Amino acid sequence: MSFLAEQRIARIRPRGSKLFLPNLFLFAACFAMAFFSGRPTEQWQYTLLWVGSGSVAFFFWFIPLLRFMSTFLDVTTTRVLYRSGLLGQKRREVSLTQIKDVQLTKGRTISIIIEGQEPIVIPGIAKHKTVAVEIDRLAAAM
């Protein structure tokens, strides 16, 4: 039995290019606010402009930003932890001793094969080939 505390080796987040489309929506909302500012003649038109731009910014920029920031893969000396979803609600954790194989599948996806369980599928991680090789090396050392 080892009394050494586990140490985090790496925390890997998704590729930053996943935020391109949300930032484009934020730009469109800001552009609409700047372009139409001062043009409407009635109060309900201003209200509609503010509600529309705020809704676009909230649903198409803020929610994807929260999802991006709460998705990560933690590789420690004893386990692999993958959190995803809005505010990290989906959590999958596996010990390095239970990992049977690590495979790269189509579309920059890592699949971690576990003994007696369904595999953990990790899509869209930056430097997916390097991460897969390192997880496989750590699992083989255990």
Side-chain angles (χ1 to χ4, degrees):
M1 182 172 193
S2 174
F3 292 101
L4 296 175
E6 73 176 355
Q7 296 177 349
R8 182 171 46 187
I9 297 171
R11 173 170 281 180
I12 300 129
R13 295 198 180 273
R15 296 183 322 271
S17 62
K18 286 188 173 245
L19 288 179
F20 178 75
L21 195 59
N23 283 328
L24 196 64
F25 277 110
L26 180 65
F27 173 76
C30 292
F31 178 79
M33 284 298 298
F35 184 77
F36 290 112
S37 181
R39 294 182 188 236
T41 56
E42 297 188 23
Q43 185 64 35
W44 68 270
Q45 293 171 333
Y46 275 112
T47 304
L48 187 65
L49 181 64
W50 277 99
V51 168
S53 295
S55 298
V56 167
F58 183 76
F59 289 110
F60 295 107
W61 177 74
F62 187 67
I63 300 292
L65 181 69
L66 284 179
R67 184 173 289 128
F68 177 83
M69 293 303 292
S70 63
T71 299
F72 59 87
L73 173 72
D74 262 347
V75 180
T76 65
T77 54
T78 59
R79 62 191 172 126
V80 174
L81 170 69
Y82 179 63
R83 292 186 74 155
S84 64
L86 189 61
L87 299 177
Q89 294 172 346
K90 298 175 190 171
R91 178 184 168 129
R92 292 287 310 264
E93 181 178 342
V94 64
S95 174
L96 288 175
T97 57
Q98 294 176 336
I99 295 177
K100 220 162 130 181
D101 190 23
V102 179
Q103 299 175 347
L104 289 173
T105 57
K106 192 174 184 180
R108 295 183 178 180
T109 302
I110 300 172
S111 182
I112 300 175
I113 311 298
I114 306 167
E115 297 175 3
Q117 295 179 13
E118 63 183 44
I120 298 176
V121 178
I122 305 169
I125 293 292
K127 298 184 180 180
H128 62 285
K129 292 179 184 177
T130 306
V131 171
V133 168
E134 288 301 316
I135 291 174
D136 196 28
R137 185 184 62 81
L138 284 170
M142 287 295 196

